[in-house]
Amino acid sequence: GQQLNQSPQSMFIQEGEDVSMNCTSSSIFNTWLWYKQDPGEGPVLLIALYKAGELTSNGRLTAQFGITRKDSFLNISASIPSDVGIYFCAGQLGTRGGADGLTFGKGTHLIIQP
Amino acid sequence: NAGVMQNPRHLVRRRGQEARLRCSPMKGHSHVYWYRQLPEEGLKFMVYLQKENIIDESGMPKERFSAEFPKEGPSILRIQQVVRGDSAAYFCASSLQGYFGEQYFGPGTRLTVT
């Protein structure tokens, strides 16, 4: 089956620093999504990407859909304490007749030191 | 609140009992997905349903697990004769479109099997 490798597994940064994390896949996806999950809650959708090469921003967050369709990255600029949490990438094949469930990475734990 | 709703939020069952998890999708969404999350892991896709139809159950265990999304009422994930290994967080997501739809998650049901 499809697998997503998400890195880094965890990050310890200072408030105000920029953050970068990425996901790579052994096979292509047609959609990439980035989610944030707080303890005890469900994942919250941050950014959705639909085209290879697409670069999309949502406030301080920027994500890109890799040209090969096998990778994506998420950047967070000027981190603040509420950015703490677990960030997941997810890929979807999304073709009629194919599996539509999302394939998730194992997450990046972001810890911010004031 | 028009978000995805799940209940109960926490469920404790003894080994051998049945667990029933409910999910009401976002208003206007007719596509429902169920995922399971083990501690320190990403979410794993289980099943994708539309009203009265199972579209993709490739992630569902072959035994004891079943899901439905009736014409009226919430989607139900049923686990019969639960075992300790079933302890996990179960998340439901819904989308407006099926094949390229952004999936929005509920807060999850934490199942503990004693």
Side-chain angles (χ1 to χ4, degrees), chain B residues 8 44 105 108 111:
Chain B
K44 301 289 187 188
F105 284 80
L111 172 66

Side-chain angles (χ1 to χ4, degrees), chain B residues 33-95:
Chain B
Y33 311 79
W34 285 93
Y35 293 82
R36 176 164 61 179
Q37 185 178 37
L38 296 172
E40 305 302 316
E41 294 284 329
L43 284 72
K44 301 289 187 188
F45 168 73
M46 299 179 75
V47 62
Y48 161 36
L49 309 105
Q50 285 182 266
K51 286 286 187 181
E52 300 183 278
N53 286 303
I54 296 174
I55 308 301
D56 178 1
E57 56 182 346
S58 58
M60 284 279 268
K62 294 287 184 267
E63 298 176 349
R64 302 187 298 108
F65 284 73
S66 62
E68 62 177 11
F69 189 14
K71 188 176 180 181
E72 301 289 338
S75 175
I76 306 285
L77 178 68
R78 182 185 294 118
I79 311 173
Q80 295 178 302
Q81 299 176 334
V82 296
V83 301
R84 288 224 171 106
D86 297 331
S87 295
Y90 292 83
F91 291 96
C92 165
S94 72
S95 67

Side-chain angles (χ1 to χ4, degrees), chain A residues 35 37 40 50 94 100 102, chain B residues 9 35 37 99-100 102-103:
Chain A
Y35 289 87
Q37 186 178 27
Y50 297 104
D100 288 344
L102 298 175
Chain B
R9 291 292 304 271
Y35 293 82
Q37 185 178 37
Y99 295 98
F100 288 97
E102 297 169 7
Q103 295 182 22

Side-chain angles (χ1 to χ4, degrees), chain B residues 6-39:
Chain B
Q6 290 187 250
N7 67 81
R9 291 292 304 271
H10 300 274
L11 183 62
V12 179
R13 286 286 178 266
R14 290 199 178 100
R15 279 179 296 170
Q17 291 185 320
E18 178 179 285
R20 279 188 172 219
L21 288 63
R22 295 175 186 77
C23 168
S24 296
M26 285 180 70
K27 189 175 181 180
H29 287 191
S30 61
H31 302 267
V32 166
Y33 311 79
W34 285 93
Y35 293 82
R36 176 164 61 179
Q37 185 178 37
L38 296 172

